[in-house]
Amino acid sequence: NAGVTQTPKFRVLKTGQSMTLLCAQDMNHEYMYWYRQDPGMGLRLIHYSVGEGTTAKGEVPDGYNVSRLKKQNFLLGLESAAPSQTSVYFCASSGATGGYTGNTIYFGEGSWLTVV
Amino acid sequence: GIQVEQSPPDLILQEGANSTLRCNFSDSVNNLQWFHQNPWGQLINLFYIPSGTKQNGRLSATTVATERYSLLYISSSQTTDSGVYFCAALKAAGNKLTFGGGTRVLVKP
């Protein structure tokens, strides 16, 4: 039972390079999220999606783009990486938001990104 | 957006001790969850608890939605309880889960 899978788990980028983080979930969830976690801090929402073909901005969207072409996948792109984007990135998914019982959010194991 | 504040920021416990972690939120919520992030960075969902009380082994949680706070109780703490505990809230009619800053817990043997 894979749950939420992120690839790659570790990556070192040079400033200005681009890359894509892939998130895949096998729970048929509608909602998917990308968060970043900086050292000693909580999680901040970058972008999220409420269904296939939809995306929306979170708290800290600048410098990132996302796509949800398939329901099970949510891609996070960095077009021109900057040292300020050095962080741990977490993908998550949930069945729905709103007042429904059991809408737990499930996280992937994280992707450690360093921009030098 | 909704504000989520956790206290205390840090907690050092002797193995076997009990403790209470608090989460205050600034608006009405219909989704409140507690997570444990272990020392390896993995985030584990502990409770989905928009209201009421739940228990899971040595852990229990209570949310008083009308007073906008939630409590996480750790009883008979063990070294494996070490890590960071986050609460996250979704306000009514919203669709973005907001995280608090976390409580860092260290349980000493």
Side-chain angles (χ1 to χ4, degrees), chain A residues 31 33 35 37 40-43 45 48 50 57-58 90 97-105 107 109 112, chain B residues 30-31 33 35 37 40-43 45 47-48 84 86 90 93-102 104:
Chain A
Y31 287 74
Y33 314 83
Y35 288 89
Q37 185 179 30
M41 296 182 67
L43 281 75
L45 184 64
Y48 65 100
V50 301
K57 294 180 180 181
F90 286 95
T97 57
Y100 300 104
T101 300
N103 282 329
T104 331
I105 184 168
F107 281 88
E109 295 189 341
W112 275 253
Chain B
N30 56 18
N31 187 328
Q33 301 188 29
F35 298 87
Q37 188 170 38
W40 295 271
Q42 189 178 16
L43 278 159
N45 186 287
F47 294 103
Y48 168 84
V84 184
F86 290 103
L90 173 75
N95 51 19
K96 293 183 285 186
L97 204 61
T98 299
F99 281 75
R104 191 174 308 272

Side-chain angles (χ1 to χ4, degrees), chain A residues 32-54:
Chain A
M32 296 187 74
Y33 314 83
W34 276 107
Y35 288 89
R36 62 177 286 174
Q37 185 179 30
D38 299 318
M41 296 182 67
L43 281 75
R44 292 184 293 169
L45 184 64
I46 305 171
H47 286 282
Y48 65 100
S49 168
V50 301
E52 183 179 318
T54 75

Side-chain angles (χ1 to χ4, degrees), chain A residues 23 32 40 51 62 77-78 92 95 99 104:
Chain A
C23 177
M32 296 187 74
D62 294 341
L78 285 72
T104 331

